[in-house]
Amino acid sequence: MKQPGYLDVQRPVSPSRLKIACSNCNLRELCLPVGLSEGEMQQLDEISHLKRGYARGDYLYRSGDKFQSLYAIHSGSFKTQVLHEDGREQVTGFQMVGEIIGLDAISTEHHTCDAVALEDSEVCELPFDKLEALSREIPSLQRHLHKIMSREIVRDQGIMLLLGSMRAEERLAAFLLNLSQRFAARGLSPTQFQLRMSRREIGSYLGLKLETISRAFSHFQEDGLISVKVRSVEILDLPRLHSFVGK
Amino acid sequence: MKQPGYLDVQRPVSPSRLKIACSNCNLRELCLPVGLSEGEMQQLDEISHLKRGYARGDYLYRSGDKFQSLYAIHSGSFKTQVLHEDGREQVTGFQMVGEIIGLDAISTEHHTCDAVALEDSEVCELPFDKLEALSREIPSLQRHLHKIMSREIVRDQGIMLLLGSMRAEERLAAFLLNLSQRFAARGLSPTQFQLRMSRREIGSYLGLKLETISRAFSHFQEDGLISVKVRSVEILDLPRLHSFVGK
DNA sequence: CGCCGGATTGAAGGTACTCAATCCGTGTGG
DNA sequence: CCACACGGATTGAGTACCTTCAATCCGGCG
C-alpha cells in the first residue's frame, strides 16, 4: 500500500555519496556507488528488500540481537543509542535517508546498540553474508563497502572531538551545521528544517542536559544566529554559525 | 551480552581474533585470524613488510597524507589524534601491539588523523589494495577485515558513551580497566603496568585537563584503589575499580 | 476542559577548569 | 660531583560553566 509522499518524491542528491545501491527502494540516485554497471546494480537489488511500517519509537534492532543485515534508510530517520546498565543512555547518531546502519554488529555478530525510528520510516534490508559474497565479485562494491565503514569511523572521530573539546554552544552549533550539510546533500534546504529528535535526544548525543540545549537554542536566537520554534529551525546566519565553532 | 567491562573504551583482545596475520612481524599468534591456512598466511605475509625505527614523537602518518596502507603494530605503541584548526587537539586512541591503525583513511583516501609513536616502535605495513585483492580470494580474511573495521566503530561508540555521560573519575577508571584488559590479553600483568602516555595525553583522550587526571590518580590512590607513581601503575582493587564505573 | 509530555526559564549548586606555586626526575653543563 | 634547567606531575585556591531542581508554558489529544 503506497502512501502519498513517500516513493513519489524523488529528491535530487549529489551522486558521489557513499551509499549502497538499492533500486527497489527507489534510492538509485542516492545510493549508486560510482562505477557500478546496470547488471551489478541488478544483483545488488536482488539481495535486498524493503521493510515498511516503522513508526516513531519502533526498534529496527536492539542491542544484543543477532546480526543478519545492514539497513539502508529508505525514508524517515532513526537514532542509534547505547545503553549502560545503570540506565544512562548515549545517543551515538542520528541517521537519515540513504544512510547505512548496523555496521557495529559485524564485529561480534550481535548488535551493540539500539536503532529506534524517529518518525514513520522504511528501510532497505541488506543481508550481510550476501553483500559480502557480492562484494567479492565486484571490487568497486567491495571498496564502496569499505569506504562506508571507514566513513563511519571518521564520523565517530569527529564526535569524539566535539565531546572531548568543545563547549556546550559550540557543540550545538556544530550539530546544526552538520544537519544543514546533510539536508543540503539531499536537495533540501540547508537553512530551514524540522528537527526529528527531542531536546533530550540532542542533549544525549552532544553530552549535555536538555535544559542546556534549550538555553543554547534560546541564546542563538537572541543573537540572531537562528530562529527556532520548538522543532522547526531556520539558520539566519550560516557564516557566523560556522565561525562560532572553534572560535 | 553486557558483562562487566561492556562499556570499556576498547574491548579485550582475545588472541585468536581480529588481527591480521603478519608472520614476518612475529605476530602470528596474536594476529592469526580464525581459519586461515598456512598457504593463506603465506600470501598475507607476502604482501606485508616490516618498518622499523620509530622513536617517541615520530609520525607514522599525518592528517592529509595520501592513504596507501594499514599498519599492524609490531612493537611499541602509538596514539592517534585529530587536530582542530584553532589548535585544539583530541587524542582518539592509544594503540598497542597487534592493533591495526589507518582505517580512517579508507573513506577519503587521505588520512584524517595523525599517528604518533609513544615509544620506540615498529609496524607492519599492509598495502590496502593488495589486502583488498587478497580478501576477495579468501572469504575468512574478508570477514576478518570487516570485523576489524566494525570493532573500531564499536570502540568509538564506547568512547562516545564515556565522553558523553561519565564524570571525570569514572572516565579514568574505565580507561585503566581498558588498559588492564588489553595488557592481560597480551599475556602481561593486568594489574601492574607502565603508562606510555603523559597526563596531558590521557586528559585529551578522556576529554579532561591534565590537572584533573592527576587529581583523579591521587584520589584513587588515597582510596586504596591503585598505587601510582608517575607512569607506573598498580591496580590494587580491580573489582572495586570496576564497580566504580557506572556507579 | 484537563491532562500529559516536551520545552522554556530561573536560581542555586557542584564539577571540572584556570591560574599558579611547588615538586620531582632527568639530563646538561660548570 | 654538584648545580641548574627543563618538562612533566602534583597540589591548592578561586572561578566558570554546566547541571540540578523547580516552576511555568505550550500544543496535542482523550
Side-chain angles (χ1 to χ4, degrees):
Chain A
M1 192 74 77
K2 187 167 164 176
Q3 295 186 338
Y6 282 157
L7 301 175
D8 22 32
V9 183
Q10 263 310 9
R11 287 161 178 168
V13 160
S14 108
S16 61
R17 294 178 58 81
L18 301 169
K19 294 293 169 294
I20 291 197
C22 163
S23 69
N24 65 351
C25 290
N26 243 356
L27 286 176
R28 299 189 69 154
E29 289 161 79
L30 184 64
C31 296
L32 189 68
V34 205
L36 238 60
S37 72
E38 276 297 312
E40 289 165 347
M41 287 289 296
Q42 189 78 32
Q43 289 181 278
L44 201 44
D45 297 337
E46 277 162 15
I47 68 167
S48 65
H49 62 276
L50 187 61
K51 296 182 76 173
R52 300 171 166 280
Y54 293 94
R56 160 129 192 126
D58 286 353
Y59 283 74
L60 178 56
Y61 52 78
R62 289 171 189 267
S63 182
D65 286 355
K66 186 95 178 76
F67 173 59
Q68 303 286 353
S69 303
L70 301 180
Y71 300 92
I73 297 172
H74 171 248
S75 68
S77 52
F78 288 80
K79 67 172 174 179
T80 48
Q81 60 187 10
V82 290
L83 295 166
H84 201 208
E85 46 265 34
D86 62 6
R88 275 183 294 199
E89 70 180 47
Q90 173 74 30
V91 171
T92 55
F94 298 110
Q95 294 81 21
M96 55 177 71
V97 169
E99 294 174 337
I100 306 289
I101 57 180
L103 298 170
D104 55 281
I106 300 168
S107 79
T108 60
E109 313 207 8
H110 290 270
H111 287 280
T112 60
C113 64
D114 303 326
V116 186
L118 293 175
E119 61 189 309
D120 290 344
S121 301
E122 298 166 316
V123 298
C124 179
E125 182 170 6
L126 300 157
F128 189 65
D129 50 359
K130 292 181 184 168
L131 192 59
E132 272 190 329
L134 198 55
S135 81
R136 285 196 295 273
E137 291 167 30
I138 310 173
S140 69
L141 177 62
Q142 181 195 32
R143 172 55 64 105
H144 192 62
L145 181 57
H146 292 159
K147 286 193 173 185
I148 286 172
M149 299 185 74
S150 173
R151 167 192 270 264
E152 179 69 19
I153 292 168
V154 173
R155 187 187 76 86
D156 291 347
Q157 286 179 349
I159 301 171
M160 288 166 61
L161 178 64
L162 179 145
L163 292 173
S165 64
M166 288 189 192
R167 18 190 80 276
E169 295 193 348
E170 280 183 277
R171 296 185 199 187
L172 185 61
F175 172 69
L176 290 172
L177 290 169
N178 175 255
L179 286 184
S180 170
Q181 287 179 310
R182 289 157 73 196
F183 283 123
R186 285 159 181 76
L188 303 168
S189 168
T191 54
Q192 277 192 310
F193 45 84
Q194 293 287 323
L195 300 174
R196 297 302 181 182
M197 65 296 284
S198 68
R199 299 289 188 265
R200 180 182 299 277
E201 288 164 334
I202 297 172
S204 171
Y205 181 60
L206 299 179
L208 301 166
K209 294 297 161 188
L210 66 95
E211 295 95 330
T212 306
I213 301 300
S214 187
R215 279 183 241 275
F217 270 127
S218 300
H219 188 219
F220 284 169
Q221 186 159 243
E222 286 163 24
D223 279 11
L225 283 168
I226 65 172
S227 166
V228 56
K229 193 175 177 212
V230 193
R231 297 212 179 176
S232 79
V233 172
E234 181 175 7
I235 298 176
L236 301 174
D237 194 339
L238 209 43
R240 202 148 59 87
L241 202 59
H242 255 112
S243 68
F244 188 87
V245 179
K247 155 189 66 61
Chain B
M1 197 68 211
K2 297 180 187 177
Q3 305 131 350
Y6 151 74
L7 57 67
D8 288 330
V9 176
Q10 295 173 342
R11 302 211 165 184
V13 180
S14 81
S16 60
R17 300 187 52 210
L18 301 174
K19 291 291 168 294
I20 290 198
C22 164
S23 68
N24 65 353
C25 289
N26 244 356
L27 285 176
R28 299 189 69 157
E29 288 161 80
L30 186 63
C31 295
L32 189 69
V34 203
L36 238 61
S37 72
E38 276 298 310
E40 288 165 345
M41 287 289 296
Q42 190 76 32
Q43 287 181 279
L44 201 44
D45 297 337
E46 275 161 18
I47 68 168
S48 66
H49 62 277
L50 187 62
K51 295 182 78 173
R52 301 173 167 279
Y54 292 94
R56 157 124 194 132
D58 286 353
Y59 284 74
L60 177 57
Y61 53 77
R62 288 169 190 270
S63 183
D65 286 355
K66 187 93 177 77
F67 172 58
Q68 303 287 352
S69 303
L70 301 179
Y71 300 92
I73 297 172
H74 171 247
S75 67
S77 53
F78 287 80
K79 67 172 175 178
T80 48
Q81 60 186 10
V82 292
L83 295 166
H84 206 213
E85 46 267 31
D86 60 6
R88 275 183 294 199
E89 69 178 48
Q90 172 76 29
V91 172
T92 55
F94 298 110
Q95 293 81 20
M96 56 176 72
V97 169
E99 294 174 338
I100 307 289
I101 57 181
L103 297 169
D104 56 280
I106 299 168
S107 79
T108 60
E109 314 208 6
H110 291 271
H111 287 280
T112 60
C113 64
D114 302 325
V116 186
L118 293 174
E119 61 189 310
D120 291 344
S121 301
E122 298 166 316
V123 300
C124 180
E125 181 170 6
L126 300 157
F128 189 65
D129 50 0
K130 292 180 184 169
L131 193 59
E132 272 189 328
L134 198 55
S135 81
R136 285 196 297 274
E137 292 167 28
I138 310 174
S140 67
L141 177 62
Q142 180 195 33
R143 172 55 63 104
H144 192 63
L145 181 59
H146 292 158
K147 287 194 172 185
I148 286 171
M149 299 185 74
S150 173
R151 165 190 269 263
E152 179 69 20
I153 292 168
V154 173
R155 187 187 77 88
D156 291 348
Q157 285 180 350
I159 301 171
M160 288 167 61
L161 178 62
L162 180 146
L163 292 172
S165 63
M166 289 189 195
R167 6 194 93 279
E169 296 193 348
E170 281 182 276
R171 296 186 199 186
L172 185 61
F175 173 69
L176 290 173
L177 290 169
N178 175 254
L179 285 184
S180 169
Q181 288 178 311
R182 289 157 74 198
F183 282 123
R186 284 160 181 76
L188 303 169
S189 168
T191 53
Q192 277 192 309
F193 46 84
Q194 294 286 322
L195 300 174
R196 296 302 181 181
M197 64 295 284
S198 69
R199 299 290 188 265
R200 179 181 301 277
E201 287 164 334
I202 297 172
S204 171
Y205 181 60
L206 299 179
L208 301 165
K209 294 298 162 187
L210 66 95
E211 296 95 329
T212 305
I213 301 299
S214 187
R215 279 184 240 274
F217 270 127
S218 300
H219 188 218
F220 284 169
Q221 186 158 245
E222 285 162 24
D223 278 11
L225 283 169
I226 65 170
S227 165
V228 57
K229 193 174 178 213
V230 195
R231 297 213 180 177
S232 79
V233 172
E234 181 176 7
I235 298 177
L236 300 174
D237 194 340
L238 209 44
R240 201 147 61 88
L241 201 59
H242 255 113
S243 68
F244 188 88
V245 178
K247 149 189 71 55

